[in-house]
């Protein structure tokens, strides 16, 4: 990750201004050394990113006080290898403010962040919102009227779901844009759907 991008992410999370001087002090180098790295577009090493996270996001005991660790996918969430969905290798570790979550935070769970595309779920989700996804277990029951990310026939969708005994109802919130009624899957169609996660929060100010 580039230094300027890391600074922007940290500022979004901490709501404080972070300067090259701040970064220089943490790495025990001069401000000009940081500026030279920025001008050369030199990427931060993994240990350098971790050091910055520890400096700005963690408390004195090294515990996350108000931020949750997640994997951010800046480009695409993943790809299909046959019928199997594989997560993209292009990912970054970020920390999310607890204020961005709509659900209680489960620290033992895994969280992903992806960029929303389109307005089919407007006004709940806007284009370019960052979606916080809680990875769900394949045996976890669907909670009616909650928004999930799932695969169906080698495509990825973010929609509101309602589960009945023998059917799954898929709902787009923006009916004016989509122009169609909820989709109902039945029978063997249900075997083609794989729930990848539940939307646990939004990062609307981080674009």
């Amino acid at each position: 990750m580039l230094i300027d991008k890391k600074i922007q992410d940290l500022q979004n999370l901490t709501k404080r201004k972070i300067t090259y001087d701040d970064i220089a002090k943490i790495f025990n180098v001069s401000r000009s050394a940081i500026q030279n790295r920025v001008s050369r577009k030199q990427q931060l090493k993994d240990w350098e990113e971790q050091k910055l996270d520890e400096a700005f996001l963690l408390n004195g005991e090294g515990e996350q006080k108000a931020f949750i660790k997640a994997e951010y996918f800046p480009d695409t969430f993943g790809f299909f290898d046959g019928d199997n969905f594989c997560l993209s290798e292009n990912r970054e570790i970020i920390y999310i403010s607890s204020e961005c979550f709509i659900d209680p935070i489960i620290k033992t769970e895994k969280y992903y962040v992806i960029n929303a595309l389109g307005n089919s779920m407007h006004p709940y989700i806007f284009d370019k919102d960052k979606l916080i996804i809680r990875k769900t277990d394949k045996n976890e029951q669907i909670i009616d009227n909650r928004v999930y990310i799932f695969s169906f026939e080698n495509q990825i969708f973010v929609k509101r779901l309602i589960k009945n005994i023998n059917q799954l109802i898929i709902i787009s919130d923006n009916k004016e844009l989509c122009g169609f009624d909820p989709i109902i899957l039945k029978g063997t169609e249900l075997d083609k759907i794989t729930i990848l996660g539940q939307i646990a929060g939004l990062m609307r100010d981080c674009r």
Side-chain angles (χ1 to χ4, degrees), residues 7 10 17 23 37 42 55 77 84 86 100 128 132 135 155 158 168 186 192 200:
I7 289 176
L10 290 171
K17 182 176 177 59
I23 304 299
R37 291 187 62 176
Q42 184 177 344
F77 189 34
N84 297 318
C86 305
C100 296
K128 298 181 181 178
I132 304 170
K135 186 178 183 298
Q155 295 187 64
V158 175
L168 183 68
K186 300 178 181 179
K192 300 177 183 178

Side-chain angles (χ1 to χ4, degrees), residues 189-200:
E189 290 179 316
L190 297 176
D191 298 329
K192 300 177 183 178
I193 193 166
T194 301
I195 304 296
L196 302 174
Q198 180 182 334
I199 305 304

Side-chain angles (χ1 to χ4, degrees), residues 8-140:
Q8 180 184 4
D9 288 349
L10 290 171
Q11 288 182 152
N12 287 333
L13 287 171
T14 61
K15 307 303 181 186
R16 57 163 286 192
K17 182 176 177 59
I18 298 173
T19 67
Y20 291 154
D21 287 328
D22 296 327
I23 304 299
K25 288 178 183 177
I26 292 169
F27 291 149
N28 196 26
V29 298
S30 65
R31 175 188 173 89
S32 61
I34 298 298
Q35 289 176 314
N36 286 337
R37 291 187 62 176
V38 171
S39 63
R40 297 197 309 269
K41 298 186 182 301
Q42 184 177 344
Q43 298 275 344
L44 288 166
K45 296 181 176 63
D46 289 342
W47 69 266
E48 290 176 321
E49 285 197 52
Q50 183 176 352
K51 193 167 184 176
L52 291 176
D53 289 339
E54 290 173 352
F56 291 105
L57 302 179
L58 306 183
N59 63 23
E61 288 72 42
E63 297 178 351
Q64 295 175 29
K65 187 176 181 181
F67 301 93
I68 300 300
K69 184 178 179 180
E71 293 183 356
Y72 171 51
F73 297 80
D75 299 321
T76 180
F77 189 34
F79 59 92
F80 289 93
D81 183 5
D83 293 330
N84 297 318
F85 179 74
C86 305
L87 293 175
S88 171
E89 292 297 326
N90 184 19
R91 64 184 81 174
E92 306 167 4
I93 298 298
I94 64 172
Y95 289 87
I96 309 168
S97 169
S98 57
E99 297 176 353
C100 296
F101 286 76
I102 56 176
D103 288 337
I105 296 170
I106 306 173
K107 291 191 175 181
T108 56
E109 296 282 10
K110 191 160 192 175
Y111 291 95
Y112 303 125
V113 177
I114 65 171
N115 298 311
L117 297 175
N119 292 310
S120 68
M121 292 300 293
H122 183 276
Y124 180 62
I125 296 172
F126 288 79
D127 184 41
K128 298 181 181 178
D129 278 350
K130 285 183 171 61
L131 306 181
I132 304 170
I133 301 167
R134 180 180 63 81
K135 186 178 183 298
T136 54
D137 184 86
K138 64 180 180 179
N139 296 319
E140 185 174 330

Side-chain angles (χ1 to χ4, degrees), residues 148-195:
Y148 290 83
I149 180 169
F150 58 92
S151 65
F152 179 69
E153 295 185 338
N154 285 7
Q155 295 187 64
I156 299 296
F157 299 90
V158 175
K159 304 291 180 187
R160 199 173 300 279
L161 299 180
I162 297 176
K163 182 73 167 66
N164 293 330
I165 296 176
N166 295 314
Q167 64 180 17
L168 183 68
I169 303 172
I170 301 173
I171 301 170
S172 295
D173 284 4
N174 193 343
K175 295 181 180 179
E176 293 183 4
L177 174 67
C178 297
F180 50 72
D181 294 330
I183 297 172
I184 300 177
L185 301 182
K186 300 178 181 179
T188 57
E189 290 179 316
L190 297 176
D191 298 329
K192 300 177 183 178
I193 193 166
T194 301
I195 304 296

